[in-house]
Amino acid sequence: MSEDISKLHDKLKSETGIHTNFREDMTYGDYLQLDSILSSQKRLSGHHDEMLFIIIHQVSELWMKLILHELTSAIRAIQDDKMQAAFKMLARVTKIQTQIIQAWDVLSTLTPAEYLEFRDKLGKASGFQSFQYRQIEFALGYKTKHILKIYEQDIALFEQLEKVYNAPSIYDVSIQALAKAGFQINPTVLNRDYSVTYGGDESVANAWKEVYRNVDKYWNLYQLAEKLVDVEDWLQQWRFRHMKTVERIIGFKTGTGGSSGVNYLRKVLDHRFFPELWDLRTSL
């Protein structure tokens, strides 16, 4: 073992080009602003496991920031007929989603007894209030107006959320792409109020069926549909792991934010973002 360490030290010594003087240059920590990030874990209790709770949620919020970055750009790319760029962005979203799902495995190491040691310190703060998660839901087409009331005290944030709430979702622009490709889409769908959650339409269902029956002819639209299904599939898996982790830690207690907790999380599992893309699996 000591010989291996000695060899490693010799190899490191041979790396004569490694920079060590950063009096005038930016370091890795400077670039990532690690002083700010690593000083943002402020426990409100003295309990050891509160650090886990904070970091899991902060990391998830960072991943959600990247999801929003990719989703927003994918929407613009679809509108601009840049499908290959959109496919790359949506593929990245699904990879990010796997990381967030795995975070629940780490949080599930927190036992009910451990969580009770600091849960009261959260007050009314809850993941239910995550404004980035709401933006993701809005960008995917799930619009819930009553949720906006949570953010009314922060005018800038409220306006930011309201903008996404009223904007076309990624499914709306995908339906528009069907129309651009020559499919006869119901005008009321193309000119609908984007603040209303989409519920499905026969003309859209027929268009997607035609795409799946003629994959070679409509290859880009077919790929787009499958990328959307991937995103929804992983989101529902994230929701399921969230629900089971909450049940494992607090059972059926009311959430700190006032929601019904597990019962609420079970209800949202029933929602489908892209209904026709799931229905056609049966009807094809």
Side-chain angles (χ1 to χ4, degrees):
M1 181 67 73
S2 60
E3 290 181 5
D4 291 339
I5 293 174
S6 178
K7 289 179 181 178
L8 177 60
H9 285 168
D10 289 340
K11 287 180 180 179
L12 290 174
K13 287 179 183 178
S14 69
E15 295 288 337
T16 57
I18 293 176
H19 298 292
T20 57
N21 185 344
F22 289 94
R23 289 187 179 88
E24 297 180 1
D25 293 310
M26 177 177 64
T27 67
Y28 170 82
D30 294 334
Y31 174 69
L32 295 178
Q33 300 184 52
L34 290 182
D35 283 349
S36 175
I37 292 172
L38 298 179
S39 62
S40 296
Q41 295 74 47
K42 296 177 170 54
R43 289 182 291 169
L44 298 181
S45 73
H47 197 272
H48 172 85
D49 292 304
E50 190 181 357
M51 183 65 76
L52 161 70
F53 190 83
I54 293 172
I55 288 177
I56 286 293
H57 287 85
Q58 287 182 338
V59 168
S60 294
E61 289 292 336
L62 283 172
W63 280 129
M64 282 192 275
K65 182 173 183 176
L66 186 53
I67 286 176
L68 283 167
H69 177 68
E70 301 296 339
L71 271 181
T72 302
S73 296
I75 289 171
R76 287 197 298 267
I78 295 168
Q79 289 174 316
D80 294 337
D81 297 321
K82 297 177 180 177
M83 290 298 190
Q84 294 304 316
F87 298 158
K88 175 65 181 292
M89 295 163 189
L90 293 175
R92 182 174 290 161
V93 167
T94 60
K95 293 298 183 182
I96 299 166
Q97 288 172 304
T98 65
Q99 296 298 309
I100 297 182
I101 290 169
Q102 289 174 358
W104 294 122
D105 294 337
V106 183
L107 187 59
S108 66
T109 64
L110 181 69
T111 69
E114 290 164 345
Y115 184 46
L116 284 174
E117 291 291 329
F118 63 86
R119 187 180 190 237
D120 63 316
K121 298 296 183 182
L122 273 63
K124 295 179 181 178
S126 167
F128 185 85
Q129 299 146 13
S130 169
F131 61 86
Q132 290 197 120
Y133 178 71
R134 297 304 171 191
Q135 282 181 281
I136 291 172
E137 285 191 328
F138 293 170
L140 294 176
Y142 184 45
K143 308 294 181 75
T144 45
K145 190 173 182 63
H146 66 279
I147 292 294
L148 288 174
K149 291 185 177 295
I150 295 173
Y151 312 100
E152 286 180 338
Q153 75 283 357
D154 186 330
I155 295 174
L157 176 58
F158 180 82
E159 290 177 349
Q160 178 184 334
L161 282 163
E162 196 172 39
K163 182 178 179 180
V164 183
Y165 178 81
N166 289 305
S169 71
I170 196 162
Y171 198 48
D172 288 315
V173 299
S174 297
I175 293 172
Q176 291 166 10
L178 288 171
K180 287 179 185 178
F183 289 101
Q184 296 301 309
I185 303 298
N186 187 339
T188 60
V189 173
L190 296 174
N191 301 301
R192 72 186 200 86
D193 179 356
Y194 297 128
S195 70
V196 177
T197 299
Y198 176 76
D201 185 86
E202 186 177 359
S203 67
V204 176
N206 291 335
W208 284 125
K209 284 180 191 176
E210 188 67 18
V211 168
Y212 274 73
R213 286 176 178 143
N214 296 276
V215 171
D216 292 338
K217 182 178 179 181
Y218 300 111
W219 179 245
N220 275 348
L221 290 170
Y222 174 71
Q223 285 193 89
L224 174 60
E226 286 298 295
K227 288 289 187 290
L228 293 176
V229 169
D230 286 342
V231 170
E232 178 165 352
D233 189 350
W234 284 109
L235 183 69
Q236 293 293 48
Q237 291 187 53
W238 181 89
R239 281 174 160 180
F240 179 79
R241 287 295 295 126
H242 183 189
M243 183 264 292
K244 293 307 292 184
T245 303
V246 171
E247 184 178 358
R248 176 172 177 156
I249 297 174
I250 69 167
F252 286 83
K253 291 186 180 74
T254 299
T256 50
S259 76
S260 58
V262 169
N263 288 325
Y264 169 79
L265 297 173
R266 281 182 174 174
K267 288 176 186 175
V268 296
L269 279 170
D270 292 331
H271 174 74
R272 296 188 302 171
F273 293 90
F274 318 129
E276 291 90 357
L277 295 181
W278 293 100
D279 289 342
L280 68 80
R281 265 98 178 134
T282 302
S283 59
L284 271 178

